[in-house]
Amino acid sequence: MTSNLTVPLPLERPRMDETFKQLDMRPTLASYRQAADALRMQRQQLREVRVAMLATFTIDSLDPYFEVEAARLGLLPELYHAPFNSVRQELLNANSGCLAHQPDVVFLAQLLEDVCPLLANDFLALSPEQVEECIAETVDELSASLKAFRQRTDASVVVYNFVLPRASAMGIFEVADRNSQTAAIRKA
């Protein structure tokens, strides 16, 4: 008895290279999605890596880019996305989805306004002492969360820097002041 089910054969490395070449000629989101779909069919040629994405914002729109660029390195990411804005819970909860995924690598991306709204939104209302307090609290909270997480996993952790605001709090004077919002964010 024969089956009508056809299983796609894995593409050869030259075919993968052709996928990358075509993508590089027109690197649009649609092209990345199409390339990611094609590359997933080549699982046998790629080494699986378990990746967790923890963010305070929607990050899954980066998946096609991440998958394709990982494939260029010979990797096939199996992605886990934590629920929206649950970074701290994922790091601290011993039964979190992140730990259940058993990641090899964890990416941690947070917006400053989600972690420390005062530094992001009310910077000019803060005294220098309050700014230092906010920085210390932000760093200490993240350090404590990561320390607890590291006790449960050997996964590599990549922590994104905070994005600088589009419009600086001090305008054109921002670059000249050592106590500027930009300087504070870079410390955090």
Side-chain angles (χ1 to χ4, degrees):
M1 185 158 114
T2 61
S3 170
N4 292 335
L5 179 66
T6 59
V7 178
L9 297 174
L11 299 175
E12 299 169 7
R13 182 65 203 196
R15 185 109 181 252
M16 285 178 70
D17 292 340
E18 184 60 29
T19 299
F20 296 135
K21 184 178 175 184
Q22 292 295 319
L23 173 67
D24 292 341
M25 289 174 25
R26 190 163 186 247
T28 64
L29 174 57
S31 299
Y32 265 90
R33 284 188 177 153
Q34 187 177 23
D37 290 342
L39 292 166
R40 276 188 222 110
M41 305 282 273
Q42 302 168 62
R43 298 183 80 87
Q44 298 84 351
Q45 296 179 40
L46 302 170
R47 186 178 70 118
E48 243 185 58
V49 61
R50 300 174 72 76
V51 178
M53 306 285 238
L54 312 181
T56 61
F57 54 90
T58 305
I59 198 168
D60 57 341
S61 60
L62 297 177
D63 287 0
Y65 301 103
F66 192 84
E67 291 173 14
V68 169
E69 297 307 322
R72 285 186 203 264
L73 301 172
L75 303 172
L76 176 69
E78 186 177 322
L79 298 174
Y80 165 78
H81 293 281
F84 176 76
N85 204 12
S86 64
V87 172
R88 191 152 188 250
Q89 298 88 318
E90 289 282 325
L91 293 174
L92 295 175
N93 182 351
N95 299 314
S96 72
C98 178
L99 286 171
H101 183 64
Q102 299 178 337
D104 300 303
V105 182
V106 177
F107 287 90
L108 181 69
Q110 300 181 99
L111 295 175
L112 184 61
E113 51 265 29
D114 296 330
V115 178
C116 186
L118 286 174
L119 276 181
N121 303 323
D122 296 320
F123 181 79
L124 293 177
L126 301 174
S127 70
E129 295 78 23
Q130 290 172 313
V131 169
E132 288 301 320
E133 227 175 86
C134 285
I135 293 169
E137 286 175 16
T138 301
V139 170
D140 290 348
E141 185 177 294
L142 179 58
S143 295
S145 298
L146 287 171
K147 185 176 181 181
F149 183 72
R150 299 298 296 146
Q151 291 175 351
R152 297 183 183 99
T153 181
D154 291 328
S156 298
V157 178
V158 178
V159 179
Y160 288 40
N161 291 336
F162 291 118
V163 175
L164 296 175
R166 288 184 188 152
S168 57
M170 299 174 69
I172 62 173
F173 299 107
E174 185 82 14
V175 295
D177 191 340
R178 286 186 294 173
N179 297 319
S180 69
Q181 184 182 31
T182 300
I185 292 169
R186 287 189 173 138
K187 278 185 185 178

